[in-house]
Amino acid sequence: MARPLALTSGEPAGIGPDITLAAWQRRNELDLPPFYLLGDRAALAERAKALGLAVEFADVGPDEAASAFSRALPVVATGKAATARPGAPDDTSAAAALASIRQAVADVRSGRAAAVVTNPIAKNVLYRAGFRHPGHTEFLAELAASGGATPQPVMMLWSPALAVVPVTIHVSVREALAQLSTDLIVSTARIVVADMTAHFGLKAPRLAIAGLNPHAGEDGTLGMEDIEIIAPAVEILRRGGVDARGPLPPDTMFHAAARKTYDCAICPLHDQALIPIKTVAFEDAVNVTLGLPFIRTSPDHGTAFDIAGTGKANPSSLVAALRLAARMASSS
């Protein structure tokens, strides 16, 4: 029997419990891969009751989850109770969310689970508890550190219609401009190529590298960064055998015909990448962390406190994340 996926609880007061319950209830209809939730069974049962859902639960270890999945939602305890009400995180939220992530990574690295799938977290809640990472991606990289070396995590947003990677992530635009370098673009692109080759069945991934400035700098009249930083990165990649082109004007990269010419768009800034994919594939885009020694996917949305516990949450992105994680794991 295939190893199950380890699904984190995410922010207990958000929609993570809602979409987890909804996805498991439709497991047969959607032909979902087996997964187990790392979290507080009592809190999950209370949410199911509030939503009017008849869900059976199974208290299991990771090794028993796959066999239990067809009859009950497997729950693996983390030892951290979650008392937060829907839409109202309390002091238990951070501890419960972080314990779930840590245990999921440990389970995958020990071979007990096939991949990590993470429900959305609330970074502001974690920051109040002393969390010092910009987000999920950077925390996962720290958990993946081996021998003192921390891997470079690369955030990809993937959908059947479009895949994008921001070179700079959860920082201000001012800080992003300070971070952007030829070396960072090259290392990011190489990780994308390696993981898309290993896990997405692409022998030679085609990369489209977006420019930074309007019209990719208009030959330097709108800024020199495209000439001095991005163009050299594209040249280095091409000399290394990567199918890369750019810098391309960002405003003409994402229409339907343009998307057919590449497998992944590499963008200097966070919003250059995320705005188009959330426009094109808001409900089925998946957040994938590349560059780690394990597979991690996540829904491409936040905690949605305003609809937590109401039954309005759409599980489509979580379903896509579970399916993609299983697909990537099967190619490992």
Side-chain angles (χ1 to χ4, degrees), residues 7-324:
L7 176 62
T8 70
S9 62
E11 165 55 55
I15 63 170
D18 304 39
I19 58 178
T20 298
L21 292 163
W24 181 81
Q25 278 209 314
R26 298 176 61 191
R27 64 199 179 283
N28 295 327
E29 168 194 346
L30 299 172
D31 193 25
L32 291 184
F35 64 86
Y36 61 88
L37 183 80
L38 286 149
D40 181 356
R41 176 187 169 174
L44 195 63
E46 186 174 344
R47 184 67 63 90
K49 182 178 179 181
L51 293 168
L53 301 178
V55 177
E56 294 292 328
F57 297 97
D59 293 314
V60 298
D63 300 331
E64 307 161 296
S67 60
F69 184 76
S70 63
R71 60 176 175 80
L73 173 53
V75 180
V76 175
T78 61
K80 296 292 183 181
T83 60
R85 306 294 297 175
D90 63 23
D91 290 346
T92 68
S93 287
L98 293 176
S100 184
I101 298 168
R102 290 191 181 98
Q103 188 59 50
V105 171
D107 287 352
V108 173
R109 300 203 75 181
S110 69
R112 304 180 78 187
V116 174
V117 180
T118 57
N119 267 309
I121 56 172
K123 287 178 284 187
N124 61 325
V125 174
L126 299 184
Y127 293 155
R128 292 198 294 270
F131 188 70
R132 57 184 176 81
H133 302 278
H136 245 140
T137 302
E138 297 81 4
F139 182 44
L140 289 163
E142 180 181 274
L143 294 176
S146 178
T150 301
Q152 178 189 343
V154 170
M155 184 173 79
M156 170 187 279
L157 280 297
W158 179 93
S159 76
L162 175 65
V164 298
V165 166
V167 177
T168 59
I169 310 178
H170 299 117
V171 294
S172 68
V173 172
R174 187 185 301 276
E175 178 60 25
L177 295 177
Q179 288 184 8
L180 189 67
S181 68
T182 297
D183 287 346
L184 181 59
I185 295 168
V186 170
S187 62
T188 299
R190 285 175 173 163
I191 290 169
V192 171
V193 169
D195 275 29
M196 292 195 86
T197 301
H199 300 303
F200 289 82
L202 299 172
K203 293 183 178 179
R206 302 165 298 165
L207 306 184
I209 315 294
L212 173 67
N213 296 300
H215 307 297
E218 202 76 84
D219 292 327
T221 60
L222 297 178
M224 295 299 293
E225 292 87 354
D226 294 283
I227 293 173
E228 296 176 350
I229 298 174
I230 300 175
V234 175
E235 180 60 25
I236 291 169
L237 291 167
R238 290 180 65 84
R239 288 204 307 265
V242 176
D243 185 349
R245 56 195 176 91
L248 303 174
D251 62 341
T252 58
M253 284 179 57
F254 298 105
H255 61 84
R259 296 198 305 267
K260 294 178 182 178
T261 66
Y262 58 82
D263 299 304
C264 184
I266 311 290
C267 302
L269 302 178
H270 178 277
D271 282 9
Q272 283 181 314
L274 270 65
I275 288 172
I277 194 164
K278 290 193 175 186
T279 301
V280 170
F282 185 78
E283 292 187 347
D284 59 0
V286 178
N287 187 340
V288 187
T289 304
L290 309 180
L292 301 179
F294 52 85
I295 292 163
R296 179 262 178 154
T297 68
S298 179
D300 180 29
H301 58 67
T303 53
F305 284 134
D306 58 323
I307 61 170
T310 67
K312 296 179 180 178
N314 186 340
S316 295
S317 189
L318 175 60
V319 168
L322 292 164
R323 284 177 165 166
L324 182 61

